[in-house]
Coordinates of all heavy atoms in Angstrom, one line a residue:
M238 N 64.7 -109.7 107.4 CA 65.0 -108.4 107.0 C 65.9 -107.6 108.0 O 66.8 -106.8 107.6 CB 63.8 -107.7 106.7 CG 63.0 -108.2 105.5 SD 61.4 -107.4 105.2 CE 60.4 -108.0 106.6
H239 N 65.6 -107.9 109.3 CA 66.4 -107.2 110.3 C 67.9 -107.6 110.3 O 68.8 -106.8 110.6 CB 65.8 -107.4 111.8 CG 66.0 -108.7 112.3 ND1 65.3 -109.8 112.0 CD2 67.0 -109.2 113.2 CE1 65.7 -110.9 112.7 NE2 66.8 -110.5 113.4
R240 N 68.2 -108.8 109.8 CA 69.5 -109.3 109.7 C 70.3 -108.7 108.5 O 71.5 -108.5 108.5 CB 69.6 -110.8 109.6 CG 69.1 -111.5 110.9 CD 69.5 -113.0 110.8 NE 69.0 -113.7 112.0 CZ 69.5 -113.8 113.1 NH1 70.6 -113.1 113.4 NH2 68.9 -114.4 114.2
L241 N 69.5 -108.3 107.5 CA 70.1 -107.7 106.3 C 70.4 -106.2 106.6 O 71.4 -105.7 106.0 CB 69.2 -107.7 105.2 CG 69.0 -109.2 104.5 CD1 67.8 -109.1 103.5 CD2 70.3 -109.4 103.7
C242 N 69.6 -105.5 107.4 CA 69.8 -104.1 107.6 C 70.1 -103.6 109.0 O 70.5 -102.4 109.2 CB 68.5 -103.3 107.1 SG 68.3 -103.5 105.4
Q243 N 70.0 -104.5 110.0 CA 70.3 -104.2 111.4 C 69.7 -102.9 111.9 O 70.5 -102.0 112.4 CB 71.9 -104.2 111.6 CG 72.5 -105.5 111.4 CD 72.1 -106.6 112.4 OE1 71.5 -106.3 113.4 NE2 72.5 -107.8 112.1
P244 N 68.4 -102.8 111.8 CA 67.8 -101.5 112.2 C 67.8 -101.1 113.7 O 67.5 -100.0 114.1 CB 66.3 -101.7 111.8 CG 66.1 -103.1 111.8 CD 67.4 -103.8 111.4
C245 N 68.2 -102.1 114.6 CA 68.4 -101.9 116.0 C 69.7 -101.2 116.3 O 70.0 -100.8 117.3 CB 68.2 -103.1 116.8 SG 66.5 -103.7 116.8
F246 N 70.6 -101.2 115.2 CA 72.0 -100.7 115.4 C 72.2 -99.5 114.4 O 73.2 -98.8 114.7 CB 73.0 -101.8 115.2 CG 72.9 -103.0 116.2 CD1 72.1 -104.1 115.9 CD2 73.5 -102.9 117.4 CE1 71.9 -105.1 116.8 CE2 73.3 -103.9 118.4 CZ 72.6 -105.0 118.1
I247 N 71.5 -99.4 113.4 CA 71.5 -98.3 112.5 C 70.2 -97.5 112.6 O 69.2 -98.1 112.4 CB 71.8 -98.7 111.0 CG1 73.1 -99.5 111.0 CG2 71.7 -97.6 110.1 CD1 73.4 -100.1 109.6
E248 N 70.3 -96.3 112.8 CA 69.0 -95.5 113.0 C 68.5 -95.0 111.7 O 69.0 -94.0 111.2 CB 69.2 -94.4 114.0 CG 67.9 -93.6 114.4 CD 68.2 -92.5 115.4 OE1 69.3 -92.5 116.0 OE2 67.3 -91.7 115.6
Y249 N 67.5 -95.7 111.2 CA 67.0 -95.3 109.8 C 66.1 -94.1 110.0 O 65.3 -94.1 110.8 CB 66.3 -96.5 109.2 CG 67.3 -97.5 108.7 CD1 67.7 -98.6 109.5 CD2 67.9 -97.4 107.5 CE1 68.6 -99.5 109.1 CE2 68.9 -98.4 107.0 CZ 69.2 -99.4 107.9 OH 70.1 -100.3 107.5
D250 N 66.2 -93.2 109.0 CA 65.3 -92.0 109.0 C 64.0 -92.3 108.3 O 63.0 -91.5 108.6 CB 66.1 -90.9 108.3 CG 67.4 -90.6 108.9 OD1 67.4 -89.9 110.0 OD2 68.4 -91.0 108.4
F251 N 63.9 -93.3 107.5 CA 62.7 -93.5 106.7 C 62.6 -95.0 106.6 O 63.5 -95.7 106.1 CB 62.7 -92.9 105.4 CG 61.5 -92.9 104.6 CD1 60.5 -91.9 104.7 CD2 61.1 -94.0 103.8 CE1 59.3 -92.0 103.9 CE2 60.0 -94.1 103.1 CZ 59.1 -93.0 103.2
I252 N 61.4 -95.6 107.0 CA 61.1 -97.0 106.8 C 59.9 -97.1 105.9 O 58.8 -96.8 106.4 CB 60.9 -97.7 108.2 CG1 62.1 -97.5 109.0 CG2 60.6 -99.1 107.9 CD1 61.9 -98.0 110.4
G253 N 60.1 -97.6 104.7 CA 58.9 -97.7 103.8 C 58.3 -99.1 103.9 O 59.0 -100.1 104.3
H254 N 57.1 -99.3 103.5 CA 56.5 -100.6 103.5 C 56.0 -100.9 102.0 O 55.4 -100.0 101.3 CB 55.2 -100.6 104.3 CG 55.5 -100.8 105.7 ND1 54.6 -101.4 106.6 CD2 56.6 -100.4 106.5 CE1 55.1 -101.4 107.9 NE2 56.3 -100.8 107.8
Q255 N 56.3 -102.1 101.5 CA 55.9 -102.3 100.1 C 54.4 -102.4 100.0 O 53.9 -102.0 98.9 CB 56.5 -103.7 99.7 CG 55.9 -104.1 98.4 CD 56.9 -105.0 97.6 OE1 58.1 -105.0 97.8 NE2 56.3 -105.9 96.7
E256 N 53.6 -102.6 101.0 CA 52.2 -102.6 101.0 C 51.7 -101.2 100.6 O 50.5 -101.0 100.2 CB 51.6 -103.0 102.3 CG 51.8 -104.5 102.6 CD 53.3 -104.8 103.0 OE1 54.0 -103.8 103.4 OE2 53.7 -106.0 103.1
R257 N 52.5 -100.1 100.9 CA 52.2 -98.8 100.5 C 53.3 -98.2 99.6 O 53.7 -97.0 99.9 CB 52.0 -97.9 101.8 CG 50.7 -98.4 102.6 CD 50.5 -97.3 103.7 NE 50.5 -96.0 103.2 CZ 49.4 -95.4 102.7 NH1 48.3 -96.0 102.5 NH2 49.5 -94.2 102.3
L258 N 53.8 -98.9 98.7 CA 55.0 -98.6 98.0 C 54.9 -97.3 97.3 O 55.8 -96.4 97.3 CB 55.3 -99.7 97.0 CG 56.5 -99.5 96.1 CD1 57.8 -99.3 96.9 CD2 56.7 -100.6 95.1
Q259 N 53.8 -97.0 96.5 CA 53.7 -95.8 95.8 C 53.7 -94.6 96.6 O 54.4 -93.6 96.4 CB 52.4 -95.8 94.9 CG 52.4 -96.9 93.9 CD 53.5 -96.9 92.9 OE1 54.2 -98.0 92.8 NE2 53.7 -95.8 92.2
E260 N 52.9 -94.6 97.7 CA 52.8 -93.5 98.6 C 54.1 -93.3 99.4 O 54.6 -92.1 99.5 CB 51.6 -93.7 99.6 CG 50.2 -93.7 99.0 CD 49.9 -95.1 98.6 OE1 50.8 -96.0 98.5 OE2 48.7 -95.3 98.3
D261 N 54.7 -94.4 99.8 CA 56.0 -94.2 100.6 C 57.1 -93.8 99.8 O 58.0 -93.0 100.2 CB 56.3 -95.6 101.3 CG 55.4 -95.8 102.5 OD1 54.6 -94.9 102.8 OD2 55.5 -96.9 103.1
A262 N 57.2 -94.3 98.5 CA 58.3 -93.9 97.6 C 58.1 -92.4 97.3 O 59.1 -91.6 97.3 CB 58.2 -94.7 96.4
L263 N 56.9 -91.9 97.1 CA 56.6 -90.5 96.8 C 57.0 -89.7 98.0 O 57.7 -88.6 97.8 CB 55.2 -90.3 96.4 CG 54.8 -88.8 96.2 CD1 55.6 -88.1 95.1 CD2 53.3 -88.7 95.9
Q264 N 56.7 -90.1 99.2 CA 57.1 -89.4 100.4 C 58.6 -89.3 100.5 O 59.1 -88.2 100.8 CB 56.5 -90.1 101.6 CG 56.8 -89.3 102.9 CD 56.2 -90.0 104.1 OE1 55.6 -91.1 104.1 NE2 56.5 -89.4 105.3
L265 N 59.3 -90.4 100.2 CA 60.7 -90.4 100.3 C 61.4 -89.4 99.2 O 62.2 -88.6 99.6 CB 61.3 -91.8 100.0 CG 62.8 -91.9 99.9 CD1 63.5 -91.6 101.3 CD2 63.2 -93.3 99.4
I266 N 60.9 -89.5 98.0 CA 61.4 -88.6 97.0 C 61.1 -87.1 97.3 O 61.9 -86.3 97.1 CB 60.8 -88.9 95.6 CG1 61.3 -90.4 95.1 CG2 61.0 -88.0 94.5 CD1 60.5 -91.0 94.0
T267 N 59.9 -86.9 97.9 CA 59.5 -85.5 98.3 C 60.4 -85.1 99.4 O 60.9 -83.8 99.4 CB 58.0 -85.5 98.8 OG1 57.2 -85.9 97.7 CG2 57.6 -84.0 99.1
S268 N 60.8 -85.9 100.3 CA 61.7 -85.5 101.4 C 63.1 -85.1 100.9 O 63.8 -84.3 101.5 CB 61.9 -86.6 102.4 OG 62.7 -87.7 101.9
L269 N 63.4 -85.6 99.6 CA 64.7 -85.2 99.0 C 64.5 -84.0 98.0 O 65.4 -83.6 97.4 CB 65.2 -86.4 98.2 CG 65.6 -87.6 99.1 CD1 66.0 -88.8 98.1 CD2 66.7 -87.4 100.1
N270 N 63.2 -83.4 98.0 CA 63.0 -82.3 97.1 C 63.1 -82.6 95.6 O 63.6 -81.8 94.9 CB 63.7 -81.1 97.5 CG 63.4 -80.5 98.9 OD1 62.3 -80.4 99.2 ND2 64.4 -80.2 99.7
L271 N 62.8 -83.9 95.3 CA 62.9 -84.3 93.9 C 61.6 -84.8 93.3 O 61.7 -85.3 92.2 CB 63.9 -85.5 93.9 CG 65.4 -85.2 94.3 CD1 66.2 -86.4 94.4 CD2 66.0 -84.2 93.4
Q272 N 60.5 -84.5 93.9 CA 59.2 -85.0 93.4 C 58.9 -84.4 92.0 O 58.1 -85.0 91.3 CB 58.1 -84.6 94.4 CG 57.8 -83.1 94.6 CD 58.7 -82.5 95.6 OE1 59.7 -83.0 96.0 NE2 58.2 -81.4 96.1

Side-chain angles (χ1 to χ4, degrees):
M238 294 180 287
H239 75 275
R240 294 191 185 279
L241 287 168
C242 293
Q243 295 296 348
C245 291
F246 299 92
I247 297 173
E248 188 174 347
Y249 288 90
D250 303 285
F251 187 93
I252 302 171
H254 281 209
Q255 175 150 330
E256 293 77 14
R257 293 187 51 80
L258 178 60
Q259 300 303 124
E260 296 86 348
D261 285 357
L263 176 58
Q264 185 183 357
L265 174 65
I266 293 169
T267 301
S268 73
L269 300 173
N270 295 314
L271 297 173
Q272 66 273 21

